[in-house]
Amino acid sequence: MTVKIGAPKEIEPGEARVAMTPDSALQLQKLGYDCVIEAGAGGAAGFTDAAYEAAGVTVVKTAAALWKEADIVAKVRPPTTAEAKKFREGQLVISFFYPGQNEKLMEAAKTAGTNIIAMDMVPRISRAQKMDALSSMANIAGYRAVIEAGNNFGRFFTGQVTAAGKVPPAKVLVVGAGVAGLAAIGTATSLGAITYAFDVRPEVAEQIESMGAEFVFLEFSADELPDGAATGGYAPPQSPEFQAKQLAKFREIAPDMDIVITTALIPGRPAPVLWTKDMVEAMKPGSVIIDLAAERGGNCELTQKDERIVTDNGVIIVGYTDFPSRMAAQSSTLYSTNIRHMMTDLTPGKDGAVVHNMEDDVIRGATAVFAGEITYPPPPPKVAAIAVQKREKPKELTPEEKRAQEVAAFKAQTKNQVTLLAVGGALLLGVGLIAPATFMQHFIVFVLSVFIGFQVIWNVAHSLHTPLMAVTNAISSIIILGALMQIGSSSVLITVLAALGIFMAAVNIFGGFLVTRRMLAMFQKS
């Protein structure tokens, strides 16, 4: 009997996404599954029932029929209490689940014998990126946040000089440089705004600057900054001292900002308050705040969930929680792809048979209920457990100890160099005893060319060339140096060949640097 996977219509008010698209259904069928969908489930996202039928999907009239027929149910939102009553033994439900906040739902699944995979619990490791639905939705939310800001902002993002006057560019501050933050930064800069960004992790500064934004730095030592590795990629809790400096910095720049987009949120935790009432009062009339953390209380002190408010000083604060749903077609496409990748891992034989391998880090991490047992919270992934190991702080050395280390290192380096020179000299002497004089002349030129070419490449900054380019440039340098030694030969043929060698090697070197520069420019914005 063929296993059926189905997607019901989302019943959460305002939810327009769907967990299965016609394209993802075709891919699921290649894995050996029959696909079922409730009538009208994809309508709000622009996917008609006819499109599903054309993709070989069976359309059922009611949600009750789908829950009864499908062995695997894929959803976007967590199952409601009414949907939980439709759970049955051996059924697999895949959706955003938030098990930390839905204990009763887990108990219902345990009692019914239903297995639960929570897409919000997919471990944030490299192998699981294709299933990372939180990142997929955050990417859309960040993009949409800038579009909503532009819709509420009364001026252009980009600066203009026209006959009617000069229009200054908008100044945008993005708080948090996670997936949503980076998407917002990219969108704001592409629209021509002067973009600033802040994150508690200073290591993301290069990412921010490569996208054309300016990183807002705080004066803190490396030891005082929080370590983000232990929190699965999310920004970790901060010390009171760090929070105080952070808020002071925001108060300093608040009057200059036209648009503020806050993205600081860790699933399952209250959102930290980063933009206080006095900061809002310091902003110019017509300024806009988009709070992507509104679902968990908001990063702005005045945010109201699912509301758009205007403060007494004319600042617009948007606290919508359905940004991905406002781009339902794109969101459904990405989310259904995440589901399809999860099903690919659950179906290693591509034979329509689910293999729920609890030894797999990704599957185990995302599983909240399995075989009548609650398996939440999962153990940390093995790779993550390695990543979060703290490095031991190096021992502080006295000036005398540092000097002794430097002297020892210099002696060791000198010893190695002398040894290499002695061995090289002995080998050269050995070759000279048996080789003709004409050969030795050319051989010595070759050895010197290799040495000088190596030294030339060794001193080039690594950011200016790739490993492959380094090797080819080293070879080209050897050719150039050797050819320079031969270009003064009395033989016309040797002179011509030497000149050609210099020309072609020079083209290779300069062309390599030019290509590398253009590659680097692809990741920069002027």
Side-chain angles (χ1 to χ4, degrees):
M1 181 178 176
T2 306
V3 176
K4 293 183 179 181
I5 178 170
K9 184 177 181 179
E10 298 294 325
I11 59 178
E12 185 81 16
E15 181 55 71
R17 291 172 290 179
V18 64
M20 182 190 296
T21 65
D23 286 341
S24 72
L26 291 172
Q27 299 301 319
L28 291 170
Q29 289 167 27
K30 291 179 181 179
L31 294 175
Y33 296 104
D34 283 347
C35 295
V36 185
I37 196 160
E38 182 185 349
F47 304 111
T48 64
D49 292 344
Y52 283 106
E53 289 174 341
V57 181
T58 302
V59 179
V60 298
K61 293 184 178 180
T62 64
L66 184 135
W67 280 92
K68 184 177 180 180
E69 190 172 337
D71 304 292
I72 304 167
V73 177
K75 279 180 51 60
V76 179
R77 296 274 187 165
T80 62
T81 303
E83 288 174 323
K85 293 179 180 178
K86 299 182 177 72
F87 288 168
R88 55 187 172 83
E89 187 173 359
Q91 193 174 50
L92 173 62
V93 175
I94 305 175
S95 72
F96 284 117
F97 200 84
Y98 309 110
Q101 294 86 56
N102 285 311
E103 294 182 8
K104 291 183 179 179
L105 205 53
M106 286 194 292
E107 288 292 343
K110 174 184 174 181
T111 302
T114 300
N115 300 329
I116 301 292
I117 286 183
M119 293 302 290
D120 52 286
M121 291 297 296
V122 172
R124 286 197 154 180
I125 58 178
S126 297
R127 186 168 64 85
Q129 287 181 350
K130 60 187 178 182
M131 304 169 231
D132 190 353
L134 282 177
S135 293
S136 297
M137 298 302 102
N139 181 33
I140 294 173
Y143 173 86
R144 182 69 188 196
V146 178
I147 303 303
E148 291 289 341
N151 185 48
N152 286 277
F153 189 54
R155 295 193 286 107
F156 293 145
F157 270 69
T158 185
Q160 290 188 4
V161 178
T162 70
K166 181 179 179 182
V167 179
K171 292 184 178 180
V172 178
L173 172 65
V174 179
V175 181
V179 177
L182 291 174
I185 291 166
T187 308
T189 54
S190 67
L191 289 174
I194 299 174
T195 310
Y196 302 86
F198 173 82
D199 197 281
V200 300
R201 301 161 296 174
E203 60 269 20
V204 303
E206 289 186 3
Q207 283 181 285
I208 290 169
E209 290 169 355
S210 71
M211 299 180 74
E214 180 179 331
F215 186 71
V216 178
F217 282 97
L218 292 184
E219 294 298 329
F220 254 81
S221 67
D223 293 339
E224 295 173 300
L225 292 171
D227 182 8
T231 56
Y234 292 102
Q238 306 152 32
S239 68
E241 295 79 14
F242 188 92
Q243 289 178 345
K245 283 202 173 185
Q246 176 180 271
L247 294 179
K249 188 66 176 180
F250 290 163
R251 287 189 180 95
E252 177 188 333
I253 63 178
D256 293 330
M257 294 300 123
D258 298 305
I259 295 169
V260 176
I261 298 173
T262 61
T263 70
L265 179 65
I266 300 177
R269 299 185 189 178
V273 176
L274 303 177
W275 208 260
T276 57
K277 182 180 178 182
D278 61 300
M279 297 177 196
V280 177
E281 292 171 346
M283 297 177 74
K284 300 184 290 287
S287 300
V288 179
I289 298 173
I290 306 292
D291 195 340
L292 292 181
E295 190 169 1
R296 301 297 298 175
N299 296 137
C300 176
E301 192 174 2
L302 302 181
T303 296
Q304 294 182 22
K305 183 178 178 181
D306 290 319
E307 297 289 339
R308 174 191 181 274
I309 65 171
V310 182
T311 64
D312 292 339
N313 64 321
V315 176
I316 301 167
I317 303 176
V318 177
Y320 300 151
T321 59
D322 61 346
F323 286 108
S325 188
R326 288 169 180 256
M327 301 185 70
Q330 184 69 73
S331 299
S332 299
T333 299
L334 295 182
Y335 182 70
S336 63
T337 301
N338 295 142
I339 294 284
R340 190 252 300 174
H341 284 304
M342 176 62 75
M343 292 307 304
T344 301
D345 274 25
L346 286 167
T347 321
K350 297 184 179 180
D351 53 1
V354 173
V355 179
H356 205 121
N357 180 14
M358 294 294 276
E359 296 299 318
D360 184 292
D361 274 348
V362 177
I363 295 173
R364 174 65 187 89
T367 302
V369 182
F370 180 67
E373 296 293 335
I374 294 176
T375 59
Y376 174 85
K382 299 181 183 68
V383 291
I386 294 170
V388 300
Q389 291 178 357
K390 300 285 187 179
R391 292 184 180 179
E392 292 186 6
K393 193 173 181 180
K395 179 184 175 183
E396 292 290 338
L397 300 177
T398 64
E400 293 77 13
E401 290 174 329
K402 289 181 180 179
R403 177 62 180 168
Q405 280 192 354
E406 291 172 358
V407 170
F410 177 76
K411 287 182 178 179
Q413 183 181 8
T414 303
K415 182 180 179 181
N416 290 336
Q417 289 176 343
V418 171
T419 302
L420 288 173
L421 286 172
V423 172
L427 291 174
L428 199 61
L429 180 61
V431 173
L433 292 174
I434 59 174
T438 53
F439 171 80
M440 286 304 299
Q441 179 182 357
H442 296 293
F443 184 68
I444 291 173
V445 169
F446 173 74
V447 171
L448 290 175
S449 299
V450 170
F451 176 76
I452 296 173
F454 174 78
Q455 291 297 324
V456 167
I457 293 302
W458 186 259
N459 290 314
V460 174
H462 296 299
S463 61
L464 297 179
H465 62 146
T466 63
L468 177 61
M469 180 181 163
V471 174
T472 57
N473 278 358
I475 296 172
S476 297
S477 298
I478 293 168
I479 293 170
I480 287 177
L481 289 169
L484 285 172
M485 299 292 292
Q486 299 297 328
I487 200 167
S489 173
S490 57
S491 171
V492 176
L493 178 61
I494 293 176
T495 301
V496 171
L497 291 175
L500 287 174
I502 293 172
F503 174 73
M504 289 186 286
V507 169
N508 184 57
I509 291 176
F510 289 109
F513 278 111
L514 182 62
V515 170
T516 303
R517 183 177 180 182
R518 292 187 64 181
M519 289 173 62
L520 292 173
M522 292 171 62
F523 300 95
Q524 297 175 343
K525 290 194 176 183
S526 57

